[in-house]
Each structure stands twice: as C-alpha cells, then as structure tokens.
Amino acid sequence: MTKHILTIAAMLIASLVMAALAAWGAGALWFQLPAGDLPRKLALVVWAVISVAALVCLWRRSWPAPSVWLVLLVGLMAWWSTIQPSHDRLWADDVARMVTGRVDGSIVTLDQVRNFDWRSDTDYTVRWEPRQYDLNQLRSVDVALSYWMGPAIAHTLVSFGFADGRYLTFSIEIRKERGESFDGLAGFFKRYETVLIAADERDILRVRTNVRDEDMWLYRLKMPPEMMRSLFLAYLDEGEQLKRTPRFYNTLIGNCTTIIYEMARRIQPGLPLDWRLLASGYLDRYLYDLGALQGQGDFDTLRQNAHITARARAAGQAADFSERIRR
C-alpha cells in the first residue's frame, strides 16, 4: 500500500513538472519563434498535442511518447540558450540612449540625461542632455511607485534631490523596440532588454501621471548622506554594467524593483527578502515595516500624504514641477 502511494505521488510530481515545462515551452515558442502568427500557432498546437500525449502515456506507463517529448524539450532548451540580448536594435526614442557617468571627486558628469517635453505618448520633443551633479550637495532620496496595472504592480523609480533644488530620477525599464509595448507575460521569455534611464522629474514622473494616466505615490526615505551617495554611485555602476553587457529584463526576478533591491543589498547586506519585492505595488509597506520612510503617523497617513497624482496633473508643464508635487 505504501509503495503504491509513493508511486502515485511520484507520478503526480512528474506530471506537474512536465506541465510546467510544457507551459514554458509554449511561451518560448510563442514569444521567440521567428515566424508569423500562423506558423507560431501551428507550432504551439503541435507542442501542446505532443505534451498532452506524453502526459497521458506517462500515466499508462508507455514510454515512447514521453521520450520523444523529452528529446524535443532538450532541443527547445538548446535553441533557447542561443537567444542573446543585444544593444543593436531599432529602439523607441525614450529608451534609445543609456546613461553612464564619470566621477571626479564629488563631481559626477552624466552623459545622457533624458529631458523630454511630453505632449502625448506619441508627440514629444526629444532632448538628451549632459549634466553635472555634486554628490556633496545630495540632500534626499525619494522612491516613486507608479501604478499602471492594479494594486499589486507598480513601476519603481528612485529620485535624488540636491541642494540647488534639482532632482535626478533613475528608472530601470524595459528597452522597447520602436512600435513595441510592454507585455508582462512576454517579460518572462527574453522579449525585452533592460535599460537604465536617468531623467529630469518633469519628464519621467510627469509622463506617467499626466500622459499615461498612471497613479503615483512619492515617499521620502530615511537615509544617511553616505548611503545616499553609495546608492547614486551604485546606479552608475549598474549603467556601466548594462552598457558593457546587455541583459534581458525578467518580469519576476530581473525587474525595476528587484534590481534596485540587489543594488541596495550591496550597500546594506542585511536587507531582508520579502514577497513584496515581487509584488512591487506593496513595496511602500515593506519600506514602512523596515522603518525606512520619513514622516509622521501610521502607514495609512504616510500613504495619503505621499499620493502626488493630483498635484502632478495640476502642475502640468510648470518649470517648478518637482517643488509643486512635494507641497
């Protein structure tokens, strides 16, 4: 009896593994097969039929079909390993350039800071500017959460404030090709490269609240000056690494929040892992539980005060956009 139960358990585990691998294979074929919709659909149907047949035969203890499926899976994985990230594609304008910087003492010179003037998502003035910042004048670090797909998913941006009133925002994003849009499922299947953008807040925050109708919260972090400086330099290091070695974006483990966490953990190794790093819409609660948010009152009070969407839309294209959203 015990042997029979163990056999059933083993078959169930094998079936779950096969189902998961079959689902992965379907996604790989759909998002990466270099063919039109019809060939991709045919490949998907063939793969699904073979996978179901292999699963049925597994339970019947007939091994030819599962063996064929396994050989095809190995071939699929071998093909998958040949798909490599690249810097050489026809990129969308807003991610066409990647920031890198040069550090001379406390002075940082950035070569490509984005400062677009957005009128709509397709109508904008392209501006990429060199800028200099003095790290001795670094005064604040804010984290912005921009919600575009329900309460559990937010895009995370980090903004550095300087004594002269300027703010520079870093954003880790998918590097869209021209005419491409983000698909969360495709982000699991090597569809997008990763890019680091440095931008003026009037560009990168306003385009999300005022042009793309996203909902945004902005929190001030408790952070000593030396840690602010280390985080800023960590972004520059991340930019250098990405420019030297292109990397795929991954919706789950290589996204705008998990990459920030990895950088922060290099500065402060004791940062705990938490499910809210994956469900980035709840990152603010994670930061509150760590005691990392400035401000008075409980979490609900801080969250209410951090909601800047209405202020951003009222500020519009004002030159003092950053000041107005913080009033």
Side-chain angles (χ1 to χ4, degrees), residues 9-208:
M11 294 291 285
L12 285 171
I13 292 171
S15 298
L16 289 173
V17 170
M18 283 184 67
L21 289 170
W24 169 83
L29 289 169
W30 180 253
F31 289 111
Q32 287 295 343
L33 197 65
D37 277 356
L38 182 57
R40 280 206 305 271
K41 288 176 181 177
L42 289 174
L44 213 59
V45 169
V46 171
W47 174 251
V49 169
I50 293 173
S51 298
V52 171
L55 192 58
V56 170
C57 290
L58 178 71
W59 280 91
R60 292 180 175 179
R61 313 292 177 86
S62 174
W63 308 119
S67 299
V68 169
W69 179 85
L70 187 59
V71 169
L72 291 175
L73 178 66
V74 171
L76 196 59
M77 289 179 169
W79 162 70
W80 180 258
S81 69
T82 67
I83 302 171
Q84 298 299 321
S86 173
H87 284 322
D88 300 322
R89 306 191 196 281
L90 188 60
W91 304 115
D93 290 335
D94 57 329
V95 291
R97 305 186 190 183
M98 188 180 303
V99 67
T100 54
R102 185 178 69 256
V103 182
D104 183 12
S106 67
I107 304 301
V108 175
T109 303
L110 302 180
D111 57 355
Q112 302 288 351
V113 176
R114 202 181 80 191
N115 188 21
F116 282 27
D117 185 12
W118 297 89
R119 292 171 291 277
S120 75
D121 220 6
T122 56
D123 180 18
Y124 45 80
T125 302
V126 175
R127 280 196 300 263
W128 296 93
E129 305 169 346
R131 290 192 181 183
Q132 278 193 339
Y133 297 89
D134 185 349
L135 294 181
N136 288 336
Q137 300 299 309
L138 187 52
R139 294 291 182 266
S140 65
V141 177
D142 299 325
V143 61
L145 299 179
S146 192
Y147 291 78
W148 52 277
M149 194 179 72
I153 303 297
H155 182 69
T156 307
L157 309 94
V158 175
S159 196
F160 293 85
F162 292 83
D164 61 4
R166 292 187 300 164
Y167 289 86
L168 179 74
T169 303
F170 286 104
S171 178
I172 294 170
E173 305 189 1
I174 66 164
R175 200 172 195 185
K176 305 184 302 290
E177 295 180 53
R178 196 163 293 176
E180 193 173 40
S181 58
F182 179 65
D183 181 327
L185 187 58
F188 288 98
F189 295 99
K190 295 185 177 182
R191 186 62 177 265
Y192 312 107
E193 278 82 2
T194 301
V195 65
L196 175 64
I197 298 296
D200 192 287
E201 281 189 344
R202 190 173 168 273
D203 167 345
I204 203 164
L205 299 189
R206 189 172 67 87
V207 70
R208 291 181 175 274

